[in-house]
Amino acid sequence: MTNWEERFGASMMRTLAPPLAVLVRGYGCWVWDDKGNRYLDFLAGIAVNSLGHAHPAVVAAVSEQVGTLAHVSNYFATPPEIELAERLKQITGAGDPGRVFFCNSGAEANEAAFKLARRNRQNARGDGSRTRILALHNSFHGRTMGSMALTGKPQMREPFEPMPGGVEHIDSTIEALERELDETVAALFVEPVKGEAGVVDLPDGYLERARDLCTRHGVLLIIDEVQTGIGRTGAWFAYQHYGILPDAVTIAKGLGGGVPIGALVTFGAASELLTRGQHGSTFGGNPLVTATANAVLDAIEEENLIANATARGEQLREIIARLHSPLITEVRGRGLLLGIGLAEPVALALSAAALEAGLIINAANESSIRLAPPLIVGDGELEEFERRLAQALAAL
Ligand SMILES: *Cc1c(COP(=O)(O)O)cnc(C)c1O
């Protein structure tokens, strides 16, 4: 038998922790490892596999498009790219004059948004002195230099300082917004639910107040929906629960159903800030990934998966409640992005016990478990989840 773990350890960059398992196959909400063990996947590649594994719509879209036209460069356009841009304008609510920039990941979508923010220089006096960019403590926006500068975790940034300038981190409170937002600020970056922080919600009324104040002071409200977007919280985008629109939204994870794709969508006047030649990406928007994303959006609509995310999310909360575990103190998040708060810092041990019981859940930090199952999850999988999580809790 091949020792994949040993070969991984000898060849992969040390940035990665040793793998939890070596996976070889997936179908629906299930994956199999190299030893033939089967796991119920309640992480979905970190909210990426919105349609689960090997969904026929994704398989067909990738197969057809790779055999037709996979890549052409940005000197040319392709129908799937134009169609996806139009659909993203529609589902985000950007409409006209919204615009879309395609890239390959969440970090790159936030890099594009960072460059957009730098272009919002003019204040009411016209002296071009907007230089501050605000982001939230404990937020996560990616690992490239710009997206890392936005990320509110000092321990992530410090080994790579100096960061691109101008970014300040503030508390996720309405008071901090009221104190900090003024004519010196170019943009405010917000994650509507902080996924990497352990699925942490914003205070009530936060996004509505942020929208008000950003409009009043000419600040771009940039919402990072890389993890929350594409139906995961029970709406196409989490900000839609609050009846507001951002000036820009970044999208990635769930959009491609497993193929790498990211996007920045701009709204209204923000669509005029980046001009010809100011940004680009070789792979961005290629027909292989955009055709696949179109198929993912079709399947979400045809299979009613946004309503499913809401209903299954409620069911999951009920299941967790009826386990009556003294270890579980709260459930956070919305739809199918849920965080389980633990009374003790044992998230790693619990996720390991769950893996033993054939269930993949994620220790987002030492006292939070993150659940992000595929949006296709159904009754059978919820029953399996309950049984396996109960088994894991009992094994602790
Ligand atoms: C995952 C994530 C990113 C980074 O996306 P990558 O594709 O890993 O670059 C950015 N923002 C949020 C909110 C994320 O969850």
Side-chain angles (χ1 to χ4, degrees):
M1 260 262 287
T2 308
N3 189 339
W4 290 115
E5 273 86 359
E6 202 171 285
R7 288 167 64 182
F8 178 100
S11 58
M12 300 290 288
M13 194 69 71
R14 289 190 199 280
T15 51
L16 298 169
L20 297 168
V22 177
L23 301 178
V24 295
R25 185 163 71 89
Y27 192 75
C29 297
W30 298 87
V31 289
W32 285 259
D33 71 12
D34 59 331
K35 302 177 181 73
N37 299 310
R38 186 176 80 135
Y39 304 91
L40 180 62
D41 184 4
F42 265 45
L43 183 57
I46 316 185
V48 165
N49 301 304
S50 20
L51 304 183
H53 300 274
H55 189 288
V58 172
V59 175
V62 171
S63 312
E64 264 164 46
Q65 193 61 46
V66 80
T68 304
L69 187 68
H71 181 83
V72 297
S73 90
N74 293 309
Y75 287 108
F76 300 93
T78 65
E81 163 190 49
I82 298 166
E83 278 164 16
L84 183 62
E86 289 172 351
R87 290 182 79 170
L88 290 180
K89 284 174 57 172
Q90 190 239 323
I91 65 174
T92 55
D96 287 320
R99 293 191 178 274
V100 180
F101 173 81
F102 287 117
C103 51
N104 317 286
S105 67
E108 282 175 81
N110 286 324
E111 287 293 332
F114 198 140
K115 287 176 76 170
L116 183 82
R118 283 277 199 262
R119 299 297 304 150
N120 185 32
R121 283 185 198 283
Q122 297 302 319
N123 60 20
R125 296 188 304 280
D127 64 4
S129 65
R130 282 182 195 276
T131 51
R132 298 167 68 208
I133 294 177
L134 302 183
L136 304 185
H137 286 306
N138 228 10
S139 60
F140 181 76
H141 297 291
R143 300 294 209 135
T144 56
M145 290 304 280
S147 63
M148 184 170 55
L150 296 168
T151 292
K153 302 180 189 223
Q155 70 283 11
M156 230 176 237
R157 301 192 305 262
E158 270 157 16
F160 304 100
E161 285 174 346
M163 290 289 110
V167 182
E168 296 166 38
H169 293 95
I170 61 172
D171 288 337
S172 305
T173 61
I174 289 175
E175 299 82 84
L177 283 180
E178 289 171 345
R179 192 170 59 242
E180 300 293 343
L181 282 179
D182 60 27
E183 291 262 321
T184 64
V185 179
L188 169 69
F189 279 80
V190 178
E191 262 181 291
V193 178
K194 293 197 198 79
E196 296 304 302
V199 189
V200 177
D201 303 295
L202 289 170
D204 284 343
Y206 186 93
L207 281 179
E208 296 92 320
R209 190 77 181 119
R211 178 66 279 173
D212 265 7
L213 290 168
C214 283
T215 303
R216 180 168 335 146
H217 298 295
V219 175
L220 297 177
L221 175 59
I222 301 179
I223 302 192
D224 180 342
E225 296 256 7
V226 167
Q227 188 155 162
T228 48
I230 313 296
R232 176 135 306 265
T233 69
W236 278 117
F237 297 94
Y239 60 77
Q240 291 166 340
H241 294 296
Y242 307 100
I244 60 133
L245 292 178
D247 297 295
V249 57
T250 56
I251 311 170
K253 293 191 167 90
L255 175 60
V259 301
I261 182 169
L264 167 71
V265 182
T266 54
F267 295 58
S271 302
E272 306 311 314
L273 289 172
L274 287 170
T275 57
R276 187 182 298 185
Q278 288 188 333
H279 202 34
S281 164
T282 294
F283 288 116
N286 92 17
L288 180 60
V289 297
T290 48
T292 310
N294 282 322
V296 170
L297 299 183
D298 283 342
I300 289 175
E301 280 173 359
E302 283 159 17
E303 298 177 29
N304 255 315
L305 296 182
I306 296 183
N308 195 57
T310 303
R312 301 304 181 183
E314 285 308 311
Q315 269 179 286
L316 266 177
R317 283 174 173 273
E318 285 161 21
I319 288 172
I320 295 162
R322 70 171 177 254
L323 288 172
H324 292 300
S325 168
L327 189 59
I328 296 174
T329 54
E330 60 173 353
V331 180
R332 303 180 294 262
R334 192 154 189 163
L336 288 175
L337 181 62
L338 295 178
I340 302 178
L342 304 177
E344 291 165 52
V346 293
L348 264 179
L350 181 57
S351 65
L355 200 68
E356 271 302 298
L359 171 66
I360 297 175
I361 55 177
N362 170 244
N365 58 46
E366 57 183 22
S367 52
S368 304
I369 292 288
R370 169 173 46 185
L371 304 179
L375 306 184
I376 58 166
V377 70
D379 283 329
E381 287 94 14
L382 290 185
E383 276 167 36
E384 288 287 346
F385 168 78
E386 180 167 7
R387 201 170 59 76
R388 289 162 195 245
L389 183 60
Q391 200 178 323
L393 284 164
L396 268 198

